[in-house]
Amino acid sequence: MSERIPLTLITGFLGSGKTTLLGHLLRDPLLSDAVVLVNELGEVPLDHHLLRQIDEKTVILDSGCVCCTIRTDLVDELRDLQVRQYRGEIPAFRRVIVETTGLADPVPVLGTLLQDPLLAAHYMADGVVTTVDAINAPLQARRQPEWVKQVVVADRIVLTKTDLAGVDQPLVEALVRDRNPVAELLVADHGAISAAALIGLGVLAEDRRAEQVQAWLTAVEADPHDHDHAHDEHDHHAGVHAFALRFEEPLDWTMFGLWLAMLLQSHGEDILRVKGLLDTGAEGPLVLHGVQHVIHPPTHLAAWPDDDHASRIVLIVRNIARADVEQSLRTFDRLAKPAQPPKSEILA
Amino acid sequence: MCSLCGTLGAAAHWSEGGGDRTQVGARRDVLRERHRRVALLNRVLRSYTLSVDEWEETAYILHGPSGQAILCNDLTAVFAEVARLRGGVALDPLDPALLERL
């Protein structure tokens, strides 16, 4: 398969400065060969030779699951771009930037890239960038489920409007960190930020997968919050929390797949993200990456990134206790392994 | 592929991409894994009077308590159909009663 074109998703709640940020990014030479797809041409003028407007058109499948919503507008546009590039009707492009509307759920965009065979062959998610309006974040965090979803799925979070009077930046950072301890937090200076900090993240790139998981583990372990609470007493983040699981013995992959499929069926709306390095008994680890119901095909690495060969899984969940998940996975994994003879028989 | 719908058929289900083989392709390994998956699945499903068979190396047949036979593309479809047969109640791997039975 030829190299896939990285797609960066820029999302953020209404008025959080997505378009201002995009305007700054487009001045960077890094984006000179990018196609930019925006949902609405707003008041901020964008100047780019490959700027195209799309209207969010979705098809919701019978299950009613939001992750199964196919962004048909994106499918049509990305397919058309491939064809037109092939015909030489547009300049060759090497990356795609998609800006969502302020109320959009970013997960269907990620799902659409996997569900459409042509898109899956030609494009790959590069990362999700979420803008957070520092003035309105405290209110939006309490009242807007879209805000929470946009923050949780982010790989980079850009705080905007931090220079305005009345902003409690430490509070806003804590609100964001509570929901997503794994994304890098950046501050935009009047919308300006280095494109290199947001573009080319390669969250799914083969050669960076282990590094990404390790970054998650470091972030979760460094987070000072209690990670083992299923319900937040103050209801300030609706029970969203992150935790890491560790298994010293190899996990049975067949059973793990069965267990995770079952967990996603019963709690999928509350399993917000999952990333892990699994020891399945092979030479190198299996890398797992998922956003809600969208699980990317796992890949085997040839070797472990360091001397630690234990399975490590990071989950960001809502209203689910770490202890329950760990006990469940251990029980299922034990079921897949041959029963150990009693000690008396071993001694005999 | 969305792990809740699982019926779009665009690509192999994510759960079939792992295993302890580093080179995908060894057909007998794939088959062995499919049959093992069915055996493990049946250990979970048996207390719900449900069972699964492998079908032509491409799908699974879910057998319901009233003799239903439902063709499912992959694990996700199996669990979606199980939930449908149970009046919309999905099997919950966090359910202490299920863990006790296992």
Side-chain angles (χ1 to χ4, degrees), chain A residues 204-234:
Chain A
L204 294 176
E206 297 275 336
D207 57 345
R208 297 183 63 186
R209 287 192 167 193
E211 175 193 327
Q212 303 274 347
V213 179
Q214 286 182 309
W216 272 46
L217 284 162
T218 305
V220 170
E221 282 158 11
D223 188 11
H225 293 89
D226 168 21
H227 298 302
D228 199 15
H229 55 119
H231 304 281
D232 180 26
E233 289 175 6
H234 307 293

PDB file of all heavy atoms in Angstrom, chain A residues 204-234:
ATOM      1  N   LEU A 204      -1.160   7.310  14.567  1.00  0.00           N
ATOM      2  CA  LEU A 204      -1.323   5.914  14.153  1.00  0.00           C
ATOM      3  C   LEU A 204      -0.126   5.409  13.347  1.00  0.00           C
ATOM      4  O   LEU A 204      -0.159   4.294  12.832  1.00  0.00           O
ATOM      5  CB  LEU A 204      -2.604   5.748  13.332  1.00  0.00           C
ATOM      6  CG  LEU A 204      -3.900   5.979  14.100  1.00  0.00           C
ATOM      7  CD1 LEU A 204      -5.095   5.881  13.166  1.00  0.00           C
ATOM      8  CD2 LEU A 204      -4.045   4.977  15.225  1.00  0.00           C
ATOM      9  N   ALA A 205       0.906   6.231  13.230  1.00  0.00           N
ATOM     10  CA  ALA A 205       2.068   5.820  12.430  1.00  0.00           C
ATOM     11  C   ALA A 205       2.728   4.608  13.072  1.00  0.00           C
ATOM     12  O   ALA A 205       2.914   4.559  14.286  1.00  0.00           O
ATOM     13  CB  ALA A 205       3.064   6.968  12.331  1.00  0.00           C
ATOM     14  N   GLU A 206       3.044   3.624  12.232  1.00  0.00           N
ATOM     15  CA  GLU A 206       3.610   2.362  12.728  1.00  0.00           C
ATOM     16  C   GLU A 206       4.820   2.596  13.625  1.00  0.00           C
ATOM     17  O   GLU A 206       4.951   1.993  14.677  1.00  0.00           O
ATOM     18  CB  GLU A 206       4.044   1.487  11.539  1.00  0.00           C
ATOM     19  CG  GLU A 206       2.906   1.061  10.623  1.00  0.00           C
ATOM     20  CD  GLU A 206       2.209  -0.182  11.134  1.00  0.00           C
ATOM     21  OE1 GLU A 206       2.842  -0.934  11.870  1.00  0.00           O
ATOM     22  OE2 GLU A 206       1.032  -0.376  10.778  1.00  0.00           O
ATOM     23  N   ASP A 207       5.698   3.488  13.173  1.00  0.00           N
ATOM     24  CA  ASP A 207       6.953   3.644  13.902  1.00  0.00           C
ATOM     25  C   ASP A 207       6.814   4.499  15.157  1.00  0.00           C
ATOM     26  O   ASP A 207       7.777   4.692  15.883  1.00  0.00           O
ATOM     27  CB  ASP A 207       8.024   4.245  12.964  1.00  0.00           C
ATOM     28  CG  ASP A 207       7.584   5.574  12.387  1.00  0.00           C
ATOM     29  OD1 ASP A 207       6.382   5.893  12.459  1.00  0.00           O
ATOM     30  OD2 ASP A 207       8.441   6.313  11.868  1.00  0.00           O
ATOM     31  N   ARG A 208       5.608   5.003  15.422  1.00  0.00           N
ATOM     32  CA  ARG A 208       5.453   5.857  16.606  1.00  0.00           C
ATOM     33  C   ARG A 208       4.432   5.309  17.589  1.00  0.00           C
ATOM     34  O   ARG A 208       4.118   5.942  18.581  1.00  0.00           O
ATOM     35  CB  ARG A 208       5.052   7.267  16.167  1.00  0.00           C
ATOM     36  CG  ARG A 208       6.122   7.930  15.318  1.00  0.00           C
ATOM     37  CD  ARG A 208       5.769   9.341  14.957  1.00  0.00           C
ATOM     38  NE  ARG A 208       5.657  10.195  16.124  1.00  0.00           N
ATOM     39  CZ  ARG A 208       5.244  11.447  16.081  1.00  0.00           C
ATOM     40  NH1 ARG A 208       4.910  11.972  14.930  1.00  0.00           N
ATOM     41  NH2 ARG A 208       5.155  12.169  17.157  1.00  0.00           N
ATOM     42  N   ARG A 209       3.912   4.117  17.292  1.00  0.00           N
ATOM     43  CA  ARG A 209       2.825   3.597  18.126  1.00  0.00           C
ATOM     44  C   ARG A 209       3.274   3.307  19.556  1.00  0.00           C
ATOM     45  O   ARG A 209       2.584   3.628  20.514  1.00  0.00           O
ATOM     46  CB  ARG A 209       2.213   2.353  17.483  1.00  0.00           C
ATOM     47  CG  ARG A 209       1.382   2.697  16.273  1.00  0.00           C
ATOM     48  CD  ARG A 209       0.564   1.532  15.809  1.00  0.00           C
ATOM     49  NE  ARG A 209      -0.433   1.995  14.851  1.00  0.00           N
ATOM     50  CZ  ARG A 209      -1.453   1.274  14.446  1.00  0.00           C
ATOM     51  NH1 ARG A 209      -1.631   0.058  14.891  1.00  0.00           N
ATOM     52  NH2 ARG A 209      -2.321   1.755  13.579  1.00  0.00           N
ATOM     53  N   ALA A 210       4.427   2.656  19.684  1.00  0.00           N
ATOM     54  CA  ALA A 210       4.900   2.325  21.033  1.00  0.00           C
ATOM     55  C   ALA A 210       5.174   3.601  21.823  1.00  0.00           C
ATOM     56  O   ALA A 210       4.818   3.718  22.998  1.00  0.00           O
ATOM     57  CB  ALA A 210       6.157   1.468  20.947  1.00  0.00           C
ATOM     58  N   GLU A 211       5.764   4.561  21.142  1.00  0.00           N
ATOM     59  CA  GLU A 211       6.083   5.849  21.771  1.00  0.00           C
ATOM     60  C   GLU A 211       4.803   6.527  22.276  1.00  0.00           C
ATOM     61  O   GLU A 211       4.749   7.082  23.361  1.00  0.00           O
ATOM     62  CB  GLU A 211       6.768   6.695  20.693  1.00  0.00           C
ATOM     63  CG  GLU A 211       7.106   8.103  21.042  1.00  0.00           C
ATOM     64  CD  GLU A 211       7.467   8.894  19.775  1.00  0.00           C
ATOM     65  OE1 GLU A 211       8.040   8.307  18.825  1.00  0.00           O
ATOM     66  OE2 GLU A 211       7.159  10.067  19.741  1.00  0.00           O
ATOM     67  N   GLN A 212       3.722   6.426  21.448  1.00  0.00           N
ATOM     68  CA  GLN A 212       2.444   7.049  21.833  1.00  0.00           C
ATOM     69  C   GLN A 212       1.885   6.397  23.094  1.00  0.00           C
ATOM     70  O   GLN A 212       1.403   7.076  23.992  1.00  0.00           O
ATOM     71  CB  GLN A 212       1.420   6.867  20.702  1.00  0.00           C
ATOM     72  CG  GLN A 212       1.835   7.413  19.371  1.00  0.00           C
ATOM     73  CD  GLN A 212       1.510   8.879  19.222  1.00  0.00           C
ATOM     74  OE1 GLN A 212       0.769   9.427  20.027  1.00  0.00           O
ATOM     75  NE2 GLN A 212       2.056   9.512  18.219  1.00  0.00           N
ATOM     76  N   VAL A 213       1.949   5.066  23.142  1.00  0.00           N
ATOM     77  CA  VAL A 213       1.410   4.374  24.319  1.00  0.00           C
ATOM     78  C   VAL A 213       2.222   4.751  25.549  1.00  0.00           C
ATOM     79  O   VAL A 213       1.662   5.016  26.621  1.00  0.00           O
ATOM     80  CB  VAL A 213       1.434   2.838  24.125  1.00  0.00           C
ATOM     81  CG1 VAL A 213       0.889   2.139  25.357  1.00  0.00           C
ATOM     82  CG2 VAL A 213       0.612   2.438  22.905  1.00  0.00           C
ATOM     83  N   GLN A 214       3.529   4.807  25.392  1.00  0.00           N
ATOM     84  CA  GLN A 214       4.367   5.156  26.537  1.00  0.00           C
ATOM     85  C   GLN A 214       4.085   6.581  27.015  1.00  0.00           C
ATOM     86  O   GLN A 214       4.089   6.842  28.209  1.00  0.00           O
ATOM     87  CB  GLN A 214       5.838   4.981  26.171  1.00  0.00           C
ATOM     88  CG  GLN A 214       6.207   3.499  26.101  1.00  0.00           C
ATOM     89  CD  GLN A 214       7.665   3.269  25.798  1.00  0.00           C
ATOM     90  OE1 GLN A 214       8.181   3.840  24.851  1.00  0.00           O
ATOM     91  NE2 GLN A 214       8.319   2.433  26.569  1.00  0.00           N
ATOM     92  N   ALA A 215       3.810   7.471  26.078  1.00  0.00           N
ATOM     93  CA  ALA A 215       3.466   8.847  26.467  1.00  0.00           C
ATOM     94  C   ALA A 215       2.167   8.858  27.275  1.00  0.00           C
ATOM     95  O   ALA A 215       2.034   9.584  28.263  1.00  0.00           O
ATOM     96  CB  ALA A 215       3.340   9.719  25.217  1.00  0.00           C
ATOM     97  N   TRP A 216       1.218   8.046  26.869  1.00  0.00           N
ATOM     98  CA  TRP A 216      -0.050   7.935  27.609  1.00  0.00           C
ATOM     99  C   TRP A 216       0.197   7.410  29.016  1.00  0.00           C
ATOM    100  O   TRP A 216      -0.340   7.924  29.987  1.00  0.00           O
ATOM    101  CB  TRP A 216      -1.001   6.979  26.875  1.00  0.00           C
ATOM    102  CG  TRP A 216      -1.846   7.622  25.845  1.00  0.00           C
ATOM    103  CD1 TRP A 216      -1.460   8.511  24.887  1.00  0.00           C
ATOM    104  CD2 TRP A 216      -3.244   7.407  25.658  1.00  0.00           C
ATOM    105  NE1 TRP A 216      -2.531   8.845  24.107  1.00  0.00           N
ATOM    106  CE2 TRP A 216      -3.630   8.192  24.549  1.00  0.00           C
ATOM    107  CE3 TRP A 216      -4.195   6.629  26.294  1.00  0.00           C
ATOM    108  CZ2 TRP A 216      -4.939   8.213  24.084  1.00  0.00           C
ATOM    109  CZ3 TRP A 216      -5.495   6.637  25.834  1.00  0.00           C
ATOM    110  CH2 TRP A 216      -5.868   7.433  24.744  1.00  0.00           C
ATOM    111  N   LEU A 217       1.002   6.345  29.114  1.00  0.00           N
ATOM    112  CA  LEU A 217       1.266   5.739  30.424  1.00  0.00           C
ATOM    113  C   LEU A 217       1.931   6.757  31.343  1.00  0.00           C
ATOM    114  O   LEU A 217       1.542   6.908  32.500  1.00  0.00           O
ATOM    115  CB  LEU A 217       2.174   4.521  30.258  1.00  0.00           C
ATOM    116  CG  LEU A 217       1.478   3.272  29.711  1.00  0.00           C
ATOM    117  CD1 LEU A 217       2.496   2.288  29.160  1.00  0.00           C
ATOM    118  CD2 LEU A 217       0.635   2.611  30.797  1.00  0.00           C
ATOM    119  N   THR A 218       2.891   7.484  30.805  1.00  0.00           N
ATOM    120  CA  THR A 218       3.584   8.493  31.603  1.00  0.00           C
ATOM    121  C   THR A 218       2.596   9.555  32.072  1.00  0.00           C
ATOM    122  O   THR A 218       2.602   9.959  33.240  1.00  0.00           O
ATOM    123  CB  THR A 218       4.703   9.153  30.760  1.00  0.00           C
ATOM    124  OG1 THR A 218       5.544   8.113  30.269  1.00  0.00           O
ATOM    125  CG2 THR A 218       5.521  10.119  31.584  1.00  0.00           C
ATOM    126  N   ALA A 219       1.723   9.980  31.165  1.00  0.00           N
ATOM    127  CA  ALA A 219       0.760  11.040  31.505  1.00  0.00           C
ATOM    128  C   ALA A 219      -0.215  10.566  32.583  1.00  0.00           C
ATOM    129  O   ALA A 219      -0.512  11.292  33.531  1.00  0.00           O
ATOM    130  CB  ALA A 219       0.001  11.473  30.253  1.00  0.00           C
ATOM    131  N   VAL A 220      -0.715   9.348  32.447  1.00  0.00           N
ATOM    132  CA  VAL A 220      -1.700   8.851  33.419  1.00  0.00           C
ATOM    133  C   VAL A 220      -1.035   8.630  34.770  1.00  0.00           C
ATOM    134  O   VAL A 220      -1.595   8.960  35.820  1.00  0.00           O
ATOM    135  CB  VAL A 220      -2.357   7.547  32.903  1.00  0.00           C
ATOM    136  CG1 VAL A 220      -3.181   6.887  33.998  1.00  0.00           C
ATOM    137  CG2 VAL A 220      -3.239   7.851  31.708  1.00  0.00           C
ATOM    138  N   GLU A 221       0.186   8.090  34.748  1.00  0.00           N
ATOM    139  CA  GLU A 221       0.870   7.834  36.020  1.00  0.00           C
ATOM    140  C   GLU A 221       1.264   9.140  36.706  1.00  0.00           C
ATOM    141  O   GLU A 221       1.328   9.206  37.929  1.00  0.00           O
ATOM    142  CB  GLU A 221       2.100   6.950  35.776  1.00  0.00           C
ATOM    143  CG  GLU A 221       1.691   5.489  35.594  1.00  0.00           C
ATOM    144  CD  GLU A 221       2.738   4.666  34.851  1.00  0.00           C
ATOM    145  OE1 GLU A 221       3.850   5.167  34.654  1.00  0.00           O
ATOM    146  OE2 GLU A 221       2.405   3.525  34.462  1.00  0.00           O
ATOM    147  N   ALA A 222       1.493  10.196  35.914  1.00  0.00           N
ATOM    148  CA  ALA A 222       1.897  11.475  36.501  1.00  0.00           C
ATOM    149  C   ALA A 222       0.701  12.294  36.978  1.00  0.00           C
ATOM    150  O   ALA A 222       0.855  13.245  37.745  1.00  0.00           O
ATOM    151  CB  ALA A 222       2.677  12.284  35.469  1.00  0.00           C
ATOM    152  N   ASP A 223      -0.495  11.903  36.537  1.00  0.00           N
ATOM    153  CA  ASP A 223      -1.687  12.678  36.887  1.00  0.00           C
ATOM    154  C   ASP A 223      -1.989  12.483  38.378  1.00  0.00           C
ATOM    155  O   ASP A 223      -2.153  11.364  38.837  1.00  0.00           O
ATOM    156  CB  ASP A 223      -2.865  12.185  36.029  1.00  0.00           C
ATOM    157  CG  ASP A 223      -4.078  13.067  36.210  1.00  0.00           C
ATOM    158  OD1 ASP A 223      -3.935  14.137  36.811  1.00  0.00           O
ATOM    159  OD2 ASP A 223      -5.168  12.669  35.751  1.00  0.00           O
ATOM    160  N   PRO A 224      -2.083  13.575  39.144  1.00  0.00           N
ATOM    161  CA  PRO A 224      -2.261  13.439  40.583  1.00  0.00           C
ATOM    162  C   PRO A 224      -3.667  13.037  41.022  1.00  0.00           C
ATOM    163  O   PRO A 224      -3.898  12.754  42.182  1.00  0.00           O
ATOM    164  CB  PRO A 224      -1.954  14.858  41.099  1.00  0.00           C
ATOM    165  CG  PRO A 224      -2.293  15.747  39.947  1.00  0.00           C
ATOM    166  CD  PRO A 224      -1.996  14.967  38.713  1.00  0.00           C
ATOM    167  N   HIS A 225      -4.608  12.978  40.095  1.00  0.00           N
ATOM    168  CA  HIS A 225      -5.985  12.684  40.499  1.00  0.00           C
ATOM    169  C   HIS A 225      -6.172  11.224  40.860  1.00  0.00           C
ATOM    170  O   HIS A 225      -5.424  10.362  40.423  1.00  0.00           O
ATOM    171  CB  HIS A 225      -6.952  13.056  39.380  1.00  0.00           C
ATOM    172  CG  HIS A 225      -7.005  14.516  39.138  1.00  0.00           C
ATOM    173  ND1 HIS A 225      -6.157  15.139  38.259  1.00  0.00           N
ATOM    174  CD2 HIS A 225      -7.764  15.480  39.692  1.00  0.00           C
ATOM    175  CE1 HIS A 225      -6.409  16.439  38.261  1.00  0.00           C
ATOM    176  NE2 HIS A 225      -7.368  16.662  39.114  1.00  0.00           N
ATOM    177  N   ASP A 226      -7.192  10.979  41.643  1.00  0.00           N
ATOM    178  CA  ASP A 226      -7.560   9.602  41.971  1.00  0.00           C
ATOM    179  C   ASP A 226      -8.157   8.976  40.730  1.00  0.00           C
ATOM    180  O   ASP A 226      -9.167   9.437  40.219  1.00  0.00           O
ATOM    181  CB  ASP A 226      -8.602   9.620  43.107  1.00  0.00           C
ATOM    182  CG  ASP A 226      -9.244   8.265  43.309  1.00  0.00           C
ATOM    183  OD1 ASP A 226      -8.659   7.252  42.899  1.00  0.00           O
ATOM    184  OD2 ASP A 226     -10.337   8.242  43.869  1.00  0.00           O
ATOM    185  N   HIS A 227      -7.528   7.926  40.230  1.00  0.00           N
ATOM    186  CA  HIS A 227      -7.996   7.339  38.979  1.00  0.00           C
ATOM    187  C   HIS A 227      -9.000   6.224  39.175  1.00  0.00           C
ATOM    188  O   HIS A 227      -9.464   5.638  38.237  1.00  0.00           O
ATOM    189  CB  HIS A 227      -6.802   6.785  38.209  1.00  0.00           C
ATOM    190  CG  HIS A 227      -5.834   7.850  37.848  1.00  0.00           C
ATOM    191  ND1 HIS A 227      -6.183   8.936  37.099  1.00  0.00           N
ATOM    192  CD2 HIS A 227      -4.539   8.020  38.174  1.00  0.00           C
ATOM    193  CE1 HIS A 227      -5.126   9.726  36.961  1.00  0.00           C
ATOM    194  NE2 HIS A 227      -4.136   9.196  37.609  1.00  0.00           N
ATOM    195  N   ASP A 228      -9.285   5.901  40.419  1.00  0.00           N
ATOM    196  CA  ASP A 228     -10.127   4.731  40.628  1.00  0.00           C
ATOM    197  C   ASP A 228     -11.502   5.103  41.172  1.00  0.00           C
ATOM    198  O   ASP A 228     -12.038   4.459  42.051  1.00  0.00           O
ATOM    199  CB  ASP A 228      -9.436   3.745  41.580  1.00  0.00           C
ATOM    200  CG  ASP A 228     -10.054   2.366  41.434  1.00  0.00           C
ATOM    201  OD1 ASP A 228     -10.756   2.152  40.442  1.00  0.00           O
ATOM    202  OD2 ASP A 228      -9.834   1.522  42.326  1.00  0.00           O
ATOM    203  N   HIS A 229     -12.019   6.190  40.667  1.00  0.00           N
ATOM    204  CA  HIS A 229     -13.353   6.573  41.107  1.00  0.00           C
ATOM    205  C   HIS A 229     -14.308   6.494  39.926  1.00  0.00           C
ATOM    206  O   HIS A 229     -14.050   7.046  38.874  1.00  0.00           O
ATOM    207  CB  HIS A 229     -13.370   7.976  41.716  1.00  0.00           C
ATOM    208  CG  HIS A 229     -12.818   9.030  40.806  1.00  0.00           C
ATOM    209  ND1 HIS A 229     -13.556  10.086  40.366  1.00  0.00           N
ATOM    210  CD2 HIS A 229     -11.592   9.165  40.234  1.00  0.00           C
ATOM    211  CE1 HIS A 229     -12.811  10.846  39.576  1.00  0.00           C
ATOM    212  NE2 HIS A 229     -11.624  10.303  39.479  1.00  0.00           N
ATOM    213  N   ALA A 230     -15.375   5.758  40.125  1.00  0.00           N
ATOM    214  CA  ALA A 230     -16.333   5.610  39.030  1.00  0.00           C
ATOM    215  C   ALA A 230     -17.283   6.797  38.992  1.00  0.00           C
ATOM    216  O   ALA A 230     -17.812   7.145  37.961  1.00  0.00           O
ATOM    217  CB  ALA A 230     -17.117   4.321  39.213  1.00  0.00           C
ATOM    218  N   HIS A 231     -17.516   7.411  40.119  1.00  0.00           N
ATOM    219  CA  HIS A 231     -18.467   8.529  40.156  1.00  0.00           C
ATOM    220  C   HIS A 231     -17.806   9.735  40.793  1.00  0.00           C
ATOM    221  O   HIS A 231     -17.173   9.625  41.837  1.00  0.00           O
ATOM    222  CB  HIS A 231     -19.712   8.142  40.960  1.00  0.00           C
ATOM    223  CG  HIS A 231     -20.370   6.923  40.427  1.00  0.00           C
ATOM    224  ND1 HIS A 231     -21.181   6.948  39.329  1.00  0.00           N
ATOM    225  CD2 HIS A 231     -20.288   5.640  40.815  1.00  0.00           C
ATOM    226  CE1 HIS A 231     -21.596   5.718  39.069  1.00  0.00           C
ATOM    227  NE2 HIS A 231     -21.072   4.905  39.952  1.00  0.00           N
ATOM    228  N   ASP A 232     -17.974  10.835  40.185  1.00  0.00           N
ATOM    229  CA  ASP A 232     -17.371  12.035  40.719  1.00  0.00           C
ATOM    230  C   ASP A 232     -18.332  12.696  41.692  1.00  0.00           C
ATOM    231  O   ASP A 232     -19.442  13.077  41.337  1.00  0.00           O
ATOM    232  CB  ASP A 232     -17.054  12.986  39.564  1.00  0.00           C
ATOM    233  CG  ASP A 232     -16.424  14.255  40.092  1.00  0.00           C
ATOM    234  OD1 ASP A 232     -15.819  14.211  41.157  1.00  0.00           O
ATOM    235  OD2 ASP A 232     -16.574  15.270  39.433  1.00  0.00           O
ATOM    236  N   GLU A 233     -17.890  12.842  42.924  1.00  0.00           N
ATOM    237  CA  GLU A 233     -18.789  13.373  43.951  1.00  0.00           C
ATOM    238  C   GLU A 233     -19.290  14.767  43.600  1.00  0.00           C
ATOM    239  O   GLU A 233     -20.394  15.141  43.923  1.00  0.00           O
ATOM    240  CB  GLU A 233     -18.044  13.423  45.288  1.00  0.00           C
ATOM    241  CG  GLU A 233     -17.786  12.037  45.876  1.00  0.00           C
ATOM    242  CD  GLU A 233     -16.954  12.113  47.136  1.00  0.00           C
ATOM    243  OE1 GLU A 233     -16.676  13.229  47.602  1.00  0.00           O
ATOM    244  OE2 GLU A 233     -16.574  11.044  47.640  1.00  0.00           O
ATOM    245  N   HIS A 234     -18.446  15.548  42.970  1.00  0.00           N
ATOM    246  CA  HIS A 234     -18.847  16.925  42.682  1.00  0.00           C
ATOM    247  C   HIS A 234     -19.504  17.051  41.311  1.00  0.00           C
ATOM    248  O   HIS A 234     -19.898  18.126  40.909  1.00  0.00           O
ATOM    249  CB  HIS A 234     -17.625  17.837  42.746  1.00  0.00           C
ATOM    250  CG  HIS A 234     -16.881  17.675  44.032  1.00  0.00           C
ATOM    251  ND1 HIS A 234     -17.410  18.060  45.230  1.00  0.00           N
ATOM    252  CD2 HIS A 234     -15.670  17.134  44.299  1.00  0.00           C
ATOM    253  CE1 HIS A 234     -16.536  17.790  46.206  1.00  0.00           C
ATOM    254  NE2 HIS A 234     -15.487  17.215  45.660  1.00  0.00           N
TER     255      HIS A 234
END
